Amino acid sequence: MCGIVGYIGNKDAREIILNGLEKLEYRGYDSAGITLRNNTADTFNVYKDKGRIAHLKSIVDYSYDSGLGIGHTRWATHGIPNYANSHPHYSKDSRFFIVHNGVIENYKELIATYLQGSVFASDTDTEVIAHLIERFSAKMSVSEAIRKTMSLLEGSYALAIIDRDNPHKMYAAKNKSPLLIGLSDHGIIVASDVMACVGYAKEYIPLDDKSFVEVDGASYKIKDIIGKPMEHDVKEIDIDASNIEKGEYAHFMLKEINEQPGVIRNILQRYFKDGKVTLNGPIKEALQETDRIYIIAAGTSMNAGFVGKQIFEKMANIPTEVHIASEFAYNMPLLTKNPLFIFISQSGETADLRAVLVNIKAKGYRSLTITNVKTSTLAREADHFVEIMAGPEIAVASTKAYTAQIAILGILAYGLSDGHINLYKELSRVAISMENIIDKREYIESLVKDYLTKRNCFYIGRGIDYYTCLEASLKLKEISYIQTEGFAAGELKHGTIALIEDNTPVIAIISQRDISKNTRSNLYEVKSRGAHTLVISTKSVHDQDDQIIVDDVHELFSPMLTVIPSQLIAYYAALARGNDIDKPRNLAKSVTVE
Ligand code: M6R
């Protein structure tokens, strides 16, 4: 989704902002732009357009020094991706330049009330903010004008603002969209993601909702909307720059698929001591005291949540429901007396989840976030959080976060289980077996060439395999653009089987012993109607014709293995089609709007 990087200081703002924006590319965007101050001429120049940062770099002027600027990557919401709608936007007299992440829900009302007759250069909700600040600043200080504007905005915003008439200052404001300031001895960065600061700042301050920042040269003040100083924490940036490079791999996705065994071993190291889980007491208490877990998530994280439901119910005996965050936020079911909300989110920034968190916190319910980003909003705002230790996940298609999330769900349940599963041993075996599958990637690539030749594809499975099918199909559709659906194998004959024709690819996942025969029957049903079938099975239930056979592990953790061939299938299908694998069309890594 949209990204913000602003800089004021004595280094080259152009370099810091463009490099920072490149580090945010993985989040997904369709346009990019930058406003830079020419230090010598004291003028401001705007460069922006539809397209990639590489294009932006080709239109920026490098002939002058610049110590102040703001940059943006835009993921279109209001108005198509084009020059006019790209950020930065500016006010009527080009005094204020702004970049914005989020959505202003009442921008039309604001135009009607305060800006009638104004002419706008774009179709965006953002431009209104620049016009309002300019209008209010005629009668009050710039800080007051920005805070007055903040008080009128409904919706979400992370803003970086420059005032042409005061080139020693930069402003920022935040509500519901992530924003932070990076601190260094050469200057101050404003960014929507700490990743943008890596290499340029050692510390940062995550901003709270409704905060306003005034940066004056090398100093900064953080205030609330009425101008009262706000407390804040300074945190260390501990991201290793080499973790956000592709290294020897052609794509981040392939790198991240390959990293999975290592991630599982990191998790074991972090959360086990002498074979016992080392979870902090309050988390264990929250799990012990609840009468029902409500897992709230989206996309891949929700698919991990479905596996988590099985794990909590079967290992720890806790009734568990899984809900789509965007549905739950505005249509809450009847809850039990003592619910525990578990938010699963790779990024920890998904707006749909945050809407639920805010809501349930207001009702006094307990919350736990499982995330890959310990500094994220959902980690900060929930009562407890557990880090999945997957390391930065850059490819939009989530892979290592999914398997890490399942491992963590297992660890949470294990603390309450009767110990009949030796989880440490089980997850260690998973890590080794993951390596065995990844070693066969060239074979999987050859299968893909043969099988995925059509515009559509189906994954079928039963029980826990059905949940893996949901994840497998999401992966394939999001990067190959092949229309893929995951179905409960037994449900096919109730309608979907009508779609099967000659050579329709159908991939079955079979790992559950008690129901493997039933899935095989469903496989024969589609085969006899012309489907081109492929089977991913485990050793104990395999048939000699199955194409991909993975090791046996405890059934509850089999998705961590059976999903890997499906990740590779998606990767190679997208590669064969020449798609932009790490940045698939229309998608964003971190979905910060509802
Ligand atoms: O950061 P989150 O885990 O909250 O993100 C949720 C989904 O947007 C995400 O899993 C999405 O479905 C991925 N692109 C799937 O690969």
Side-chain angles (χ1 to χ4, degrees):
M1 233 138 243
C2 306
I4 289 178
V5 188
Y7 177 76
I8 184 164
N10 44 39
K11 281 215 171 193
D12 180 12
R14 187 189 294 105
E15 179 205 304
I16 292 175
I17 295 169
L18 289 172
N19 280 345
L21 290 177
E22 266 175 341
K23 295 203 196 95
L24 303 189
E25 275 196 296
Y26 77 101
R27 297 169 67 105
Y29 68 104
D30 41 54
S31 327
I34 188 169
T35 293
L36 290 169
R37 174 174 184 250
N38 179 329
N39 287 355
T40 322
D42 193 18
T43 53
F44 285 85
N45 303 300
V46 178
Y47 314 89
K48 58 181 190 170
D49 207 353
K50 177 184 168 179
R52 296 286 185 208
I53 311 270
H55 173 56
L56 176 65
K57 278 177 149 177
S58 74
I59 58 174
V60 166
D61 181 352
Y62 294 82
S63 66
Y64 54 86
D65 289 337
S66 176
L68 170 63
I70 50 175
H72 191 257
T73 45
R74 173 175 188 253
W75 188 83
T77 57
H78 295 64
I80 59 164
N82 62 13
Y83 171 86
N85 292 330
S86 306
H87 300 213
H89 290 285
Y90 29 90
S91 54
K92 184 164 71 65
D93 296 332
S94 301
R95 175 173 172 193
F96 294 98
F97 299 91
I98 77 165
V99 290
H100 166 222
N101 289 356
V103 171
I104 304 304
E105 287 155 9
N106 62 336
Y107 78 104
K108 286 194 178 144
E109 289 88 323
L110 291 171
I111 295 174
T113 316
Y114 298 97
L115 299 169
Q116 272 197 23
S118 295
V119 178
F120 295 97
S122 75
D123 302 321
T124 65
D125 49 339
T126 302
E127 198 183 347
V128 170
I129 304 172
H131 283 247
L132 285 174
I133 295 171
E134 186 168 273
R135 194 194 144 139
F136 296 142
S137 66
K139 294 210 175 115
M140 54 187 86
S141 73
V142 172
S143 296
E144 285 164 342
I146 296 174
R147 285 189 279 105
K148 178 170 167 76
T149 304
M150 286 169 69
S151 72
L152 299 173
L153 301 178
E154 284 170 19
S156 52
Y157 54 82
L159 298 166
I161 305 159
I162 290 177
D163 173 8
R164 180 198 61 201
D165 294 351
N166 197 341
H168 304 290
K169 287 199 172 178
M170 178 169 66
Y171 304 90
K174 185 246 186 247
N175 187 42
K176 292 189 190 165
S177 277
L179 198 66
L180 56 94
I181 54 177
L183 308 174
S184 75
D185 49 14
H186 55 81
I188 290 179
I189 298 173
V190 173
S192 53
D193 184 326
V194 73
M195 213 75 104
C197 302
V198 175
Y200 295 109
K202 292 214 163 65
E203 293 179 319
Y204 75 102
I205 299 170
L207 297 173
D208 288 329
D209 278 351
K210 300 266 165 79
S211 50
F212 163 74
V213 186
E214 186 175 351
V215 183
D216 190 348
S219 68
Y220 60 89
K221 286 187 195 128
I222 303 178
K223 297 178 179 170
D224 67 10
I225 210 155
I226 54 166
K228 227 171 81 208
M230 278 175 94
E231 287 193 2
H232 55 268
D233 293 333
V234 177
K235 297 185 185 273
E236 191 198 338
I237 298 178
D238 59 0
I239 300 173
D240 178 354
S242 64
N243 269 343
I244 49 176
E245 308 287 338
K246 276 201 293 260
E248 70 201 72
Y249 294 95
H251 298 97
F252 279 107
M253 184 179 177
L254 189 60
K255 175 177 182 250
E256 288 156 9
I257 291 173
N258 275 268
E259 282 171 349
Q260 292 176 100
V263 170
I264 301 307
R265 291 187 182 113
N266 283 346
I267 290 174
L268 288 174
Q269 220 177 0
R270 166 74 176 75
Y271 293 108
F272 277 89
K273 196 162 182 231
D274 304 327
K276 292 213 167 66
V277 166
T278 57
L279 267 186
N280 78 34
I283 294 182
K284 198 168 172 190
E285 261 166 47
L287 287 161
Q288 270 162 343
E289 285 166 13
T290 186
D291 55 2
R292 186 170 291 254
I293 292 173
Y294 294 81
I295 292 179
I296 310 293
T300 289
S301 298
M302 183 174 68
N303 295 335
F306 285 126
V307 180
K309 170 183 163 65
Q310 306 290 317
I311 292 176
F312 280 124
E313 295 195 336
K314 297 195 170 129
M315 266 174 81
N317 259 318
I318 311 175
T320 304
E321 294 178 16
V322 183
H323 290 272
I324 300 176
S326 54
E327 286 297 312
F328 194 95
Y330 302 101
N331 191 13
M332 220 189 262
L334 275 180
L335 302 175
T336 53
K337 271 204 185 116
N338 196 7
L340 171 67
F341 285 85
I342 298 188
F343 294 85
I344 309 180
S345 174
Q346 188 284 132
S347 62
E349 298 295 352
T350 303
D352 293 329
L353 274 72
R354 176 135 196 262
V356 181
L357 179 60
V358 170
N359 203 339
I360 62 109
K361 270 180 78 167
K363 293 184 161 61
Y365 297 130
R366 282 219 229 182
S367 55
L368 159 69
T369 291
I370 297 176
T371 182
N372 200 22
V373 186
K374 63 179 180 199
T375 52
S376 61
T377 308
L378 290 169
R380 287 202 314 273
E381 294 184 354
D383 297 326
H384 314 283
F385 88 91
V386 182
E387 201 187 343
I388 65 167
M389 314 286 299
E393 192 182 64
I394 309 289
V396 165
S398 184
T399 52
K400 60 178 180 173
Y402 173 79
T403 45
Q405 285 162 348
I406 296 175
I408 294 295
L409 289 160
I411 287 168
L412 289 173
Y414 189 58
L416 276 77
S417 78
D418 59 10
H420 72 280
I421 301 174
N422 182 339
L423 190 62
Y424 187 89
K425 215 163 120 198
E426 224 38 75
L427 292 179
S428 307
R429 280 169 51 195
V430 165
I432 297 170
S433 303
M434 282 174 157
E435 275 160 353
N436 295 338
I437 306 167
I438 293 165
D439 284 349
K440 294 194 190 105
R441 59 180 180 274
E442 282 171 13
Y443 164 65
I444 294 176
E445 181 175 15
S446 67
L447 287 176
V448 167
K449 283 196 184 118
D450 182 30
Y451 277 86
L452 295 177
T453 52
K454 292 275 191 179
R455 261 207 43 76
N456 61 352
C457 175
F458 297 96
Y459 270 94
I460 60 167
R462 286 174 179 249
I464 209 154
D465 296 328
Y466 165 52
Y467 298 124
T468 316
C469 288
L470 295 180
E471 173 54 14
S473 65
L474 176 61
K475 212 76 332 166
L476 185 56
K477 74 180 97 170
E478 73 177 325
I479 59 166
S480 74
Y481 315 142
I482 294 172
Q483 189 174 355
T484 319
E485 298 308 329
F487 282 103
E491 187 63 12
L492 274 183
K493 57 187 176 294
H494 298 289
T496 312
I497 202 162
L499 295 173
I500 305 294
E501 37 186 58
D502 265 358
N503 279 324
T504 304
V506 176
I507 306 176
I509 298 183
I510 310 180
S511 78
Q512 263 192 275
R513 222 162 288 167
D514 52 340
I515 44 176
S516 70
K517 285 205 174 62
N518 308 52
T519 310
R520 293 229 179 249
S521 303
N522 303 132
L523 197 64
Y524 296 135
E525 286 160 14
V526 291
K527 218 171 174 173
S528 58
R529 284 160 180 85
H532 194 192
T533 59
L534 187 153
V535 179
I536 301 170
S537 60
T538 50
K539 278 187 179 150
S540 58
V541 299
H542 87 280
D543 258 13
Q544 59 175 18
D545 293 339
D546 292 352
Q547 290 80 353
I548 303 174
I549 300 158
V550 307
D551 293 338
D552 284 311
V553 290
H554 190 284
E555 276 175 8
L556 287 174
F557 298 95
S558 65
M560 295 173 75
L561 292 186
T562 49
V563 79
I564 293 186
S566 79
Q567 296 170 344
L568 289 164
I569 287 171
Y571 175 79
Y572 288 117
L575 190 68
R577 281 164 177 71
N579 295 351
D580 190 348
I581 295 184
D582 288 333
K583 297 191 276 293
R585 70 183 180 208
N586 304 337
L587 292 181
K589 182 70 182 163
S590 181
V591 185
T592 49
V593 293
E594 280 188 58

